[in-house]
Amino acid sequence: MKYHLYTAVGLVCFLIGCTSKNQNTPEAAVEGFITAVNQNDFAKAKHYGDSTVVVRMTQIEQMLKQYKGEVPQNPKIDFKVREVTPLDEHTAIVTYSISATETYKQLKVRQIGGKWKVTLELQQAAPQALHP
């Protein structure tokens, strides 16, 4: 009986490990952040960011609490990464769009404690011009 239980648990762990995609990438951090903000889930957005994101999301949450109307639901986004431009081994600029007709936007990400996080600190533009 124990043998079957250990085999089942081992198989489940193996399958979970094989099917989960890498969530610790610059692209995943930006996609998670943008998706959370689009869904007005600012607590989740904080998870994908550094201290600058936490401060900004907290400010937005406080403003929405004072807002008496209903918060509009945003449509599903079509998130696409155009490119990731490394600035150094711990910092990169992710160029992305959230709809087919939108021009590209950029967010800076940096590695903090081994995890990629979005930062809203002032950033320099990527070294090349952006064209959709």
Side-chain angles (χ1 to χ4, degrees):
M1 181 68 175
K2 285 184 182 179
Y3 173 74
H4 294 294
L5 180 62
Y6 290 130
T7 303
V9 170
L11 182 61
V12 168
C13 291
F14 174 75
L15 291 174
I16 290 171
C18 290
T19 59
S20 66
K21 66 180 188 177
N22 188 356
Q23 297 296 317
N24 190 24
T25 64
E27 297 93 332
V30 171
E31 182 174 10
F33 174 74
I34 294 297
T35 301
V37 169
N38 189 61
Q39 295 171 346
N40 298 320
D41 188 347
F42 303 110
K44 187 174 181 182
K46 291 176 188 180
H47 170 75
Y48 292 100
D50 68 357
S51 61
T52 61
V53 169
V54 172
V55 168
R56 184 66 52 90
M57 294 301 108
T58 301
Q59 291 171 339
I60 292 170
E61 284 176 315
Q62 290 172 350
M63 287 178 11
L64 289 176
K65 284 180 184 176
Q66 295 175 355
Y67 181 65
K68 302 291 185 204
E70 190 172 310
V71 178
Q73 292 299 319
N74 296 320
K76 184 173 166 73
I77 60 173
D78 182 23
F79 182 86
K80 289 191 171 110
V81 171
R82 178 174 183 230
E83 78 178 302
V84 178
T85 307
L87 300 178
D88 59 42
E89 65 183 87
H90 300 290
T91 311
I93 300 289
V94 176
T95 305
Y96 69 95
S97 69
I98 58 172
S99 74
T101 59
E102 182 183 53
T103 58
Y104 292 101
K105 296 181 179 181
Q106 295 181 324
L107 275 175
K108 187 175 182 180
V109 292
R110 60 185 180 162
Q111 216 169 23
I112 301 171
K115 294 186 178 186
W116 286 99
K117 300 283 187 174
V118 172
T119 183
L120 298 177
E121 67 185 18
L122 294 177
Q123 61 191 29
Q124 297 176 341
Q128 57 207 28
L130 296 176
H131 302 286

